[in-house]
Amino acid sequence: MLVHICCSVDSHYFLQRLRKELPDEPLLGYFYDPNIHPYSEYLMRYEDVKRSCDKLGIELLMGEYEYESWLAGTKGLEDEPEKGKRCAYCFDFRVGNSAKKAVELGHKSITTTLLMSPKKDFTQLTNALKRAVDGTDLEIFAVDFRAGGGTNEQFELAKNDKLYHQNYCGCIFGLSKQRQAQGLPLAELMSDVNARVLPGSIEERLALYANVRECESKGLKFELFRRQFLNYRLLRGLVKFDGKAVPSYFVFYSNFKRKSIKISLKTNEQIATNLRDGVILLSLTKLNELMKTSFKSVDELCKSEFSLDFELALRAKISGAMSLNPIIVLESVLAGKYEIIASSELYHDSCEVLELD
């Protein structure tokens, strides 16, 4: 039997139930989910599915990430609700292509772990399986393992085995609607210009679960805890001096009350404070002095790989560890007229933290 797999939380329980129901049936896992966006989230889910299958001793194949092909079929369905026509199309696309793989590999039957998801319509999925095998010799296996407390057992098992529990279905449309309803930014679609790992990002979760796999391989005991924190994203940042854009660096947690701030300085400064909306302008020379660094330009600063801790330490020295003042690093802080065009998001977030026992 070829088992289309969507995520580890659904598959981990589903596969074990399959083994009990069909003890003599060889199982092959097939991760085929080109709906998942962005690609880093796709990799995150695949890696955890592989971890789950390795625990269970089940072979896993990774399908192609055919995102553009999947996306082409969503035209006109962008605003469909959960369990609507877009979901039906998505199931047909994923299960249909999984059925083709099953035929190619000589399997006799097919099922999908999507049947385990409490947020999916069971009848919709069963119909997708039926359409997928139409015209083939494949049989479908569609049993509701959610009934009789299965969903509770599923989540308890996922928690005990420390599986990655994603916080959105997978596609960009579902993500956008969910974040809009929550009043949160689309942080999953934001990345640092220099590819640094941002707090609460998918890249942070990839690193965390790489650490989880390493601990498991070494037999180390550990726990995962959820930490609440105030997250931040700079959406836009530009500084104009006497009407021309100049190189600038916006320090993490620089929070802006308005999208445009105009400031006039009468003298040259190394650090200019007490400016409108709490803005602090910092020269590169002063930054090097405070942080014992030797950056030669703001461009070099922007391209460096210093950590978030570096920025927080700089913030603590200038305006206090708990401050949200906009701190902007410039080549020089000269007398003249400045315009700061910026927007940012501050929002409550949570992340998992690994602690060794």
Side-chain angles (χ1 to χ4, degrees):
M1 176 184 289
L2 184 139
V3 184
H4 166 256
I5 294 178
C6 56
C7 69
S8 60
V9 171
D10 288 346
S11 66
H12 203 58
Y13 179 82
F14 189 87
L15 290 169
Q16 293 178 69
R17 285 292 300 269
L18 269 183
R19 274 184 167 165
K20 290 180 181 179
E21 296 285 332
L22 307 169
D24 299 323
E25 183 76 34
L27 303 177
L28 173 67
Y30 185 53
F31 186 82
Y32 182 76
D33 301 285
N35 61 305
I36 297 174
H37 189 78
Y39 183 63
S40 54
E41 178 71 15
Y42 174 84
L43 292 178
M44 177 72 241
R45 298 190 193 190
Y46 168 74
E47 289 294 340
D48 213 54
V49 166
K50 185 176 185 303
R51 173 174 161 241
S52 165
C53 286
D54 286 346
K55 286 176 182 284
L56 301 177
I58 292 176
E59 183 183 355
L60 176 69
L61 293 182
M62 183 183 188
E64 295 293 324
Y65 184 64
E66 299 171 313
Y67 180 70
E68 290 185 3
S69 295
W70 176 87
L71 189 64
T74 66
K75 291 181 179 179
L77 304 175
E78 295 89 346
D79 295 323
E80 281 288 310
E82 184 73 17
K83 301 182 182 180
K85 292 180 181 179
R86 188 182 64 247
C87 289
Y89 156 75
C90 184
F91 300 152
D92 283 342
F93 189 96
R94 294 150 74 190
V95 178
N97 280 284
S98 297
K100 291 177 183 177
K101 178 60 69 171
V103 171
E104 175 189 326
L105 298 175
H107 285 266
K108 296 180 179 179
S109 56
I110 185 175
T111 188
T112 174
T113 62
L114 285 163
L115 293 164
M116 196 67 230
S117 175
K119 294 186 178 180
K120 306 303 178 190
D121 185 275
F122 188 85
T123 300
Q124 205 174 40
L125 285 163
T126 302
N127 290 335
L129 283 167
K130 290 177 180 178
R131 286 190 291 270
V133 302
D134 187 37
T136 75
D137 294 328
L138 289 173
E139 296 180 355
I140 68 168
F141 186 87
V143 176
D144 190 357
F145 290 147
R146 294 180 288 187
T151 298
N152 290 335
E153 292 177 21
Q154 168 198 15
F155 289 129
E156 189 64 27
L157 181 64
K159 181 179 180 181
N160 290 339
D161 284 357
K162 301 178 178 64
L163 300 179
Y164 168 59
H165 200 148
Q166 63 268 13
N167 59 8
Y168 68 101
C169 175
C171 80
I172 189 171
F173 307 110
L175 172 63
S176 299
K177 285 181 176 292
Q178 186 171 323
R179 294 293 175 264
Q180 185 178 18
Q182 294 169 327
L184 297 174
L186 284 166
E188 290 83 1
L189 305 184
M190 302 175 192
S191 58
D192 184 77
V193 67
N194 297 310
R196 289 186 305 167
V197 176
L198 296 174
S201 65
I202 299 170
E203 290 73 22
E204 185 181 64
R205 295 196 287 273
L206 277 165
L208 171 70
Y209 277 87
N211 198 6
V212 165
R213 294 191 295 275
E214 182 179 1
C215 287
E216 288 181 335
S217 68
K218 293 180 178 179
L220 300 176
K221 292 184 178 181
F222 65 95
E223 291 293 337
L224 293 175
F225 297 96
R226 187 153 292 277
R227 176 174 64 91
Q228 305 287 329
F229 70 105
L230 184 65
N231 210 340
Y232 170 84
R233 291 292 186 271
L234 178 69
L235 305 181
R236 186 185 186 192
L238 172 69
V239 177
K240 290 183 178 181
F241 176 68
D242 287 344
K244 296 182 179 180
V246 295
S248 58
Y249 188 86
F250 291 66
V251 176
F252 202 83
Y253 283 133
S254 291
N255 189 42
F256 295 89
K257 298 178 180 178
R258 66 192 82 202
K259 295 182 179 180
S260 176
I261 306 171
K262 294 183 179 180
I263 294 169
S264 293
L265 292 182
K266 295 182 178 180
T267 59
N268 297 345
E269 305 283 353
Q270 289 299 316
I271 179 170
T273 59
N274 295 323
L275 303 178
R276 189 177 186 184
D277 289 353
V279 169
I280 297 172
L281 299 180
L282 179 70
S283 71
L284 187 65
T285 300
K286 188 63 177 180
L287 179 144
N288 284 331
E289 176 190 325
L290 290 171
M291 303 303 293
K292 311 301 182 190
T293 51
S294 55
F295 293 111
K296 296 181 176 59
S297 68
V298 170
D299 183 60
E300 181 186 344
L301 173 66
C302 290
K303 294 178 180 178
S304 66
E305 296 182 358
F306 56 79
S307 67
L308 177 59
D309 289 339
F310 175 92
E311 294 190 62
L312 296 180
L314 173 63
R315 173 169 292 282
K317 288 187 177 185
I318 294 174
S319 58
M322 302 294 289
S323 73
L324 298 175
N325 293 67
I327 301 175
I328 306 170
V329 182
L330 304 174
E331 298 281 1
S332 302
V333 181
L334 305 175
K337 293 182 178 180
Y338 293 85
E339 182 180 9
I340 301 164
I341 302 169
S343 60
S344 61
E345 286 272 2
L346 281 170
Y347 57 100
H348 293 287
D349 203 352
S350 66
C351 65
E352 288 183 300
V353 178
L354 185 150
E355 289 188 10
L356 294 173
D357 287 349

